[in-house]
Amino acid sequence: DVKVTQSSRYLVKRTGEKVFLECVQDMDHENMFWYRQDPGLGLRLIYFSYDVKMKEKGDIPEGYSVSREKKERFSLILESASTNQTSMYLCASSGTGTANEQYFGPGTRLTVT
Amino acid sequence: RKEVEQDPGPFNVPEGATVAFNCTYSNSASQSFFWYRQDCRKEPKLLMSVYSSGNEDGRFTAQLNRASQYISLLIRDSKLSDSATYLCVVNKGNTGFQKLVFGTGTRLLVSP
């Protein structure tokens, strides 16, 4: 079974803190993705990576950065957390090809106070 | 206009009913289409891909109408376990990349 794990299920941070969200997949997938999910807005793509050390902006990259030093690991970084970044963050991975299934991690509920 | 639009529901149906969800998308260059299912407080999971010729998987049938930029999902003989949110998903990526756009979902509640 494909497994995508995320470092925390729940996280509470203060405004201005630097936040790291970690994601690990065990299926040797080339593609990895970070989304946030908010009520009424659905899932929105923040960043994705199609190879080690490669990254591409998604639809809402402002206020975020990412790192992919190893194929299995994709990190999302909030350089200076703000209250409008309170959300559910979901990581996903997939193999190459546009029709491949994306496998999601369980999500991290981040609250910024 | 949203890139992918769905009726949020909820659709309340009794067990055994047939229910249909619709979805429209705005990018005519989109190449691949999916329905994902998301249970309450869980991650999304792929239900089925949607092919131009239409496809069926057990009680589930998906249809694509490229001319109208419209995707549908039909569920026959609804089960209690079908209660979930169904996400319409379109890949707007080109050059071989996946850039999925998710609809906000249609909530289905199946009652005994």
Side-chain angles (χ1 to χ4, degrees):
Chain A
D1 264 0
V2 173
K3 197 159 187 187
V4 180
T5 56
Q6 295 183 227
S7 49
S8 307
R9 290 302 301 271
Y10 299 94
L11 209 51
V12 179
K13 296 290 182 181
R14 291 192 180 277
T15 302
E17 279 193 86
K18 190 169 187 176
V19 182
F20 293 87
L21 302 182
E22 303 281 337
C23 175
V24 177
Q25 51 97 1
D26 67 359
M27 282 303 291
D28 202 36
H29 282 162
E30 290 77 11
N31 301 323
M32 296 189 75
F33 308 83
W34 275 106
Y35 296 90
R36 61 178 285 177
Q37 185 171 27
D38 301 287
L41 296 176
L43 277 89
R44 292 178 291 165
L45 181 63
I46 304 171
Y47 267 96
F48 67 101
S49 168
Y50 54 89
D51 202 351
V52 176
K53 297 193 187 293
M54 306 302 288
K55 60 184 178 185
E56 294 283 339
K57 291 180 180 179
D59 297 317
I60 51 163
E62 297 78 20
Y64 303 95
S65 62
V66 290
S67 172
R68 194 165 180 203
E69 296 296 319
K70 293 185 177 181
K71 190 175 186 181
E72 68 271 18
R73 189 178 297 269
F74 192 34
S75 302
L76 180 70
I77 303 151
L78 287 67
E79 294 289 341
S80 177
S82 63
T83 54
N84 62 14
Q85 292 179 310
T86 291
S87 186
M88 171 66 82
Y89 289 87
L90 290 155
C91 174
S93 73
S94 73
T96 52
T98 56
N100 278 330
E101 176 178 359
Q102 287 193 10
Y103 295 87
F104 285 83
T108 296
R109 169 71 65 185
L110 172 67
T111 302
V112 183
T113 62
Chain B
R1 183 186 171 189
K2 288 183 179 177
E3 291 185 85
V4 177
E5 294 207 65
Q6 295 181 251
D7 181 343
F11 284 57
N12 290 284
V13 302
E15 270 187 294
T18 295
V19 61
F21 306 139
N22 302 320
C23 164
T24 57
Y25 62 95
S26 60
N27 186 344
S28 60
S30 300
Q31 292 298 315
S32 46
F33 309 88
F34 312 89
W35 284 100
Y36 276 70
R37 170 192 167 130
Q38 187 170 24
D39 293 307
C40 189
R41 297 193 183 88
K42 296 282 195 177
E43 70 273 19
K45 293 185 179 178
L46 179 68
L47 178 66
M48 58 197 304
S49 300
V50 186
Y51 304 121
S52 295
S53 54
N55 48 302
E56 190 173 306
D57 183 2
R59 298 181 293 108
F60 299 85
T61 301
Q63 299 274 357
L64 168 64
N65 184 322
R66 284 188 186 272
S68 302
Q69 294 179 208
Y70 169 99
I71 304 161
S72 66
L73 176 68
L74 182 78
I75 305 175
R76 289 180 298 279
D77 189 23
S78 299
K79 311 289 183 192
L80 295 176
S81 57
D82 293 334
S83 296
T85 297
Y86 291 84
L87 307 174
C88 176
V89 185
V90 173
N91 181 23
K92 68 172 184 178
N94 51 22
T95 67
F97 293 140
Q98 273 191 348
K99 284 190 77 174
L100 298 186
V101 180
F102 286 75
T104 52
T106 298
R107 192 163 170 224
L108 172 65
L109 298 171
V110 182
S111 53

